[in-house]
Amino acid sequence: LATMLATMAASPLLSVLRAKPFVLDIAADTSQGKTSAVSVAATVWADPDWRIKWDGTTTAHERYIAACRDVGIVIDETQSADKPENVIGLVYKATTDIGRVRGAQNGQTARTVDLRAIVISTGEQPIPDFGAAGGARARVLTMAGPPWGTGPDASRVSPEVAEDQRSALRRLRDHHGHAGPAVAAWLANLAPDQIDRLRDIYDHEIRRRIQHAQLISPDHPIAPRLCEYAALVEMAGGLLQSACGLTAPYGWITEIRWADMLDRGRGADMARAAIQRVMSWAISRSGALYGHPDAKGAVPSQGWIGTWES
């Protein structure tokens, strides 16, 4: 949860640190606390229900991200996307500096939108599993398992933690939206030399994480990119402490989570990747695969391609 809160607060840092945006991918089975966790994270900027779904059009998503520049964004339920490739496509768009070039009615090109926001996404399977995601894998930090737990192998949410969720959300429905603006205001008041110092700290944190990644995951193909994102999360967490008066020290990304993020960033072997792609294709077309039988059990003559066993 600390990782998600820091990620939501990190968007204003993108332009200050000249950092690259990324997607924090929350992947866990149903009823493991994803929605309640992103609801808490959303309160950094707005009310707990401030999020959109993956079932919108790519153009609508892109314009939404452009409109929310420098603000953290939550897009919920990747499984609701029309096509798996739409998820991968939006990851590419959301993690670039400018949006898609489009033509205008006067025969010229329309002004490109400036995309500068970090996205938190939720779903039941990791985003890199949504098809051929070689490049997308380097744009995503995947946090698998219950977000309220301490690591990817944590058990399901306990009754005590569930009550903590409900209690936190009850309070946050009355008090929300202060932390993000406080971070932005703190950054806006920095002098040029302070900004230079902040960039030096960011560069140092990246180097430190790269050295650590080389120890725990040697020869990792995209570790430097993932380390940039993790360093940005750590910087944003520190700013949350400074801007909001937090006194207790936090581990904004636990060692267990970070090791798992690096492992998932390596990518699967070819055989596993092929199986994952087939399963993604099957899940996205589950309605047609299962069919829609009538009262007598007959399947339709059109729009049905067979049955499958999970």
Side-chain angles (χ1 to χ4, degrees):
L1 185 61
T3 302
M4 298 171 68
L5 288 170
T7 301
M8 280 298 287
S11 289
L13 275 166
L14 292 173
S15 59
V16 175
L17 299 179
R18 302 173 183 146
K20 299 181 180 67
F22 67 96
V23 175
L24 180 65
D25 174 28
I26 312 298
D29 291 336
T30 185
S31 302
Q32 292 197 345
K34 296 190 302 294
T35 299
S36 58
V38 295
S39 295
V40 172
T43 61
V44 170
W45 293 101
D47 66 79
D49 298 323
W50 189 67
R51 59 183 179 272
I52 59 175
K53 292 291 186 71
W54 272 100
D55 60 357
T57 65
T58 301
T59 299
H61 282 138
E62 182 181 341
R63 291 178 177 175
Y64 180 83
I65 293 171
C68 298
R69 186 174 61 182
D70 296 321
V71 174
I73 295 170
V74 176
I75 309 181
D76 208 10
E77 299 179 359
T78 54
Q79 62 270 20
S80 69
D82 293 337
K83 300 177 182 178
E85 52 266 32
N86 289 354
V87 175
I88 298 299
L90 185 59
V91 167
Y92 276 97
K93 289 182 173 65
T95 54
T96 56
D97 294 329
I98 58 174
R100 182 180 179 182
V101 177
R102 295 184 174 87
Q105 292 181 347
N106 60 5
Q108 299 178 354
T109 57
R111 180 182 179 185
T112 55
V113 294
D114 186 2
L115 303 180
R116 196 170 65 223
I118 295 173
V119 174
I120 294 182
S121 168
T122 73
E124 294 180 5
Q125 68 180 97
I127 285 177
D129 291 353
F130 278 77
R137 197 178 297 277
R139 301 163 184 258
V140 172
L141 278 181
T142 296
M143 190 165 71
W148 292 85
T150 57
D153 298 324
S155 60
R156 288 180 176 271
V157 175
S158 66
E160 294 79 13
V161 172
E163 177 53 36
D164 286 342
Q165 294 175 6
R166 289 189 289 269
S167 176
L169 285 171
R170 281 196 298 269
R171 294 193 298 271
L172 288 170
R173 291 195 180 280
D174 293 325
H175 306 283
H176 53 257
H178 303 292
V183 170
W186 191 90
L187 290 170
N189 290 323
L190 292 179
D193 61 320
Q194 292 175 310
I195 292 177
D196 290 339
R197 174 58 180 159
L198 206 62
R199 289 171 179 167
D200 290 340
I201 296 173
Y202 176 55
D203 291 339
H204 175 77
E205 178 64 18
I206 292 173
R207 290 193 298 271
R208 185 189 71 82
R209 283 200 165 268
I210 291 176
Q211 291 174 354
H212 183 236
Q214 289 172 346
L215 293 175
I216 64 175
S217 187
D219 302 319
H220 196 296
I222 57 172
R225 288 285 295 274
L226 302 185
C227 287
E228 290 181 20
Y229 309 148
L232 188 63
V233 172
E234 289 290 344
M235 294 287 292
L239 288 185
L240 276 177
Q241 289 182 252
S242 299
C244 300
L246 302 180
T247 56
Y250 289 94
W252 298 103
I253 303 180
T254 66
E255 292 299 322
I256 295 175
R257 289 286 190 190
W258 175 234
D260 188 63
M261 287 173 174
L262 285 173
D263 184 58
R264 293 176 183 278
R266 277 188 175 275
D269 56 69
M270 294 301 293
R272 183 181 175 191
I275 293 173
Q276 288 175 335
R277 188 162 192 184
V278 169
M279 292 302 296
S280 297
W281 175 87
I283 291 170
S284 69
R285 292 160 177 80
S286 57
L289 283 162
Y290 283 120
H292 304 279
D294 57 23
K296 296 181 180 180
V299 296
S301 59
Q302 295 180 342
W304 178 68
I305 56 179
T307 60
W308 70 295
E309 296 291 338
S310 62

